[in-house]
Amino acid sequence: MNQRTLFAKRVRRLRKAANLSLDKAGEKGGLSGKYWGEVERSEKSPTLDKLFAMARALDVPIHALAQIEREEDEEKVLRRSIDRILDKSTAKQLKRLYCYLLDTSDAN
């Protein structure tokens, strides 16, 4: 997957996480919903000014737009992040997390 496609997926994920339609994101950022759609389909590459507008609309720092990871690496990134958290956890916190995981895995 190329950088433009990864960026497009990142923008779409952030927009959906912000619970914004293309048009609403466009309104908030001063860009058209059509333009947002073109970026999310990898048809357009935004200029720096448009990146700032998009970040403002999504209420994220601009660097959040560039935090793209390869899809196949996402599990590895999550595992490393979780491992760092677990390494700093107390026995009591680990036990609570373990119980939570057991409870949620039974529900599935």
Side-chain angles (χ1 to χ4, degrees):
M1 202 173 299
N2 68 37
Q3 296 289 329
R4 183 185 267 187
T5 303
L6 292 170
F7 175 78
K9 286 181 159 215
R10 176 72 174 166
V11 170
R12 179 174 284 143
R13 277 192 209 116
L14 289 170
R15 180 181 58 79
K16 288 186 180 256
N19 202 27
L20 295 173
S21 67
L22 289 170
D23 289 332
K24 195 64 165 170
E27 284 176 31
K28 286 185 75 175
L31 305 166
S32 72
K34 179 180 183 262
Y35 180 80
W36 275 77
E38 291 169 336
V39 170
E40 290 184 9
R41 289 188 303 276
S42 303
E43 296 168 2
K44 298 261 181 173
S45 292
T47 63
L48 185 58
D49 288 338
K50 289 181 180 176
L51 285 172
F52 276 104
M54 294 172 89
R56 199 171 34 256
L58 296 169
D59 197 27
V60 298
I62 192 164
H63 65 82
L65 293 173
Q67 292 176 335
I68 54 177
E69 297 288 340
R70 294 200 167 277
E71 291 295 315
E72 58 270 17
D73 292 339
E74 192 168 327
E75 181 181 346
K76 291 177 186 174
V77 170
L78 285 170
R79 286 184 184 278
R80 278 196 308 269
S81 298
I82 291 169
D83 285 343
R84 280 193 297 270
I85 293 168
L86 292 175
D87 286 343
K88 297 176 185 177
S89 299
T90 65
K92 184 178 179 179
Q93 290 170 323
L94 290 170
K95 186 173 183 175
R96 286 190 358 225
L97 179 59
Y98 177 74
C99 290
Y100 173 78
L101 291 171
L102 285 178
D103 286 346
T104 57
S105 65
D106 288 342
N108 295 330

